[in-house]
Amino acid sequence: MGFLAAVGRIFLHFLEAIGRVTQFTGTALFHCATPPYYIAHVGRQMLEIGYFSLPVVGLTALFTGMVLALQSYTGFARFSAEGAVATVVVLSVTRELGPVIAGLMVAGRIGASMAAEIGTMRVTEQIDALSTLSTDPFKYLVAPRLIAGFTMLPLLVLVADIIGVFGGYLVGIYKLGFNPATYLKRTEEFLEAMDVISGLVKAGVFGFIISLMGCYHGYHSRGGAQGVGAATTDAVVSASILILVFNYAITEIFFAK
Amino acid sequence: MTENRPKIRIRGLVKRFGRKVVLNGVDLDIGYRESVVIIGGSGTGKSVMLKCILGLLAPEAGSIQVDGEEVVGAGRAVRERVSRKIGMLFQGAALFDSLSVWENVSFGLMQAEGMGRTEARKIAEEKLAAVGLGKEVAILSPAELSGGMKKRVGLARAIATNPEVIFFDEPTTGLDPIMSDVINDLVVKSVKELGATALSITHDMASARKIAHRIAMLHAGRIIWAGPVAAIDHVDNAYVDQFIHGRAEGPIKMEVRA
């Protein structure tokens, strides 16, 4: 009986959490769509998410592309299909690895920082102060971050795609001895617009998820430094899990036959 | 006509957190240009009451009227209208870390009233001067300020929009006695110059005696005594007597866990 009660309680807490996140998302979207708009804040967040994440995302994409070329070569060599390396690299990077790796890296960098900043504002009553100064915290804090996350992740992933493919090219040419012209031809031969578009759609969704989780957990943090720490961890973990779940769902929508 | 009704009227205010009843039927009137101080032990719901009036917390029952306008359950427009009348000094000042001192002070002017930066900065410097801070402080970040300076900046921010009502949440907590007295003087001066109504909460009896016209004591979720400052030393109420003399012995039992 005690076990069933515990399972029931966990399930109810889970449903409650889903309800709270849904309500938070609805309120946040409403404030994204209605004035006043804090354009300068959106710009600052775009800079933070897009520009300042470039080095870490670029480096990750470069090495991902490189290792992908190396691994697929050793695998395909077993059945003499080495020529497919360039195609495998470009499809894997644009469809999956670019958006997922960039999403996870940005979740660690930006999701954590959003949760920590908003969480600290919550526990030091700065969010209450915003309300007393006739400023809606959703409009001032949440909406700019959501807009910036949604718009900047696709741009970041586009750059990551290019760098990832370039990483594969470097290994293909200088390590595996492919002919540069053949490698490039193979790269673009089987690449379709939908491969890139699906990756960019994923990136937009992931950017929204990262900002949403950072803002949600920060906004609801409680109990001083420990609460802010917990909010930061929750933001990164929940964003990472949701990225993987939505990655599958979007792949189903685009490519399932 | 408006002078006949209280500026703020609270009736039967109830607020719970889970099973814990924090406010259990609070009744209180605060008159126009009156300065009322709420005293009471830690965790008795003083800050919760302020947050209910500000609309930051939703009470389970009761009524709060500001200028005769009901706040509990009110729509967005009413809430906004009421919140524009109120300035608040938070316990820890609650200054925005990402903004400079002058941007903090003029935040309400720029965000809510749409004032330009040049004019807002001029007013911010005037308000900083009113709380004894020079222009050189205006460009500092809140992290560079001492506790007393933060309170002064918080006070400057609270009065920047010339509010009709000012709330002070523990204005002297964490300050040395001299700085506490400086802040008390500034609170009295600001309220007087603005002709504002003030509602403060504090544990500090010296502060309460200095800034209040009237004191009310909150205990067990209710106002158990309210009266003029001069009367508090002669009250025939064991709770008030114990609190103002800071005695461990008496009817108020502090929850102490070993």
Side-chain angles (χ1 to χ4, degrees), chain A residues 9-27:
Chain A
R9 222 175 3 252
I10 291 168
F11 186 64
L12 286 176
H13 279 309
F14 177 67
L15 290 181
E16 196 184 319
I18 289 177
R20 272 203 302 263
V21 172
T22 308
Q23 201 175 23
F24 188 90
T25 310
T27 311

Side-chain angles (χ1 to χ4, degrees), chain B residues 131-142:
Chain B
V131 296
L133 294 173
K135 281 185 181 178
E136 67 283 0
V137 176
I139 52 164
L140 297 179
S141 127

Side-chain angles (χ1 to χ4, degrees), chain A residues 38 125-126 128 134-135 140, chain B residues 51 83 95-97 107 111:
Chain A
Y38 293 97
E125 295 188 305
Q126 290 178 53
D128 288 345
S134 305
T135 303
Y140 190 78
Chain B
K51 287 183 178 178
S83 103
L95 301 177
F96 305 125
D97 306 320
F107 190 91
Q111 300 299 341

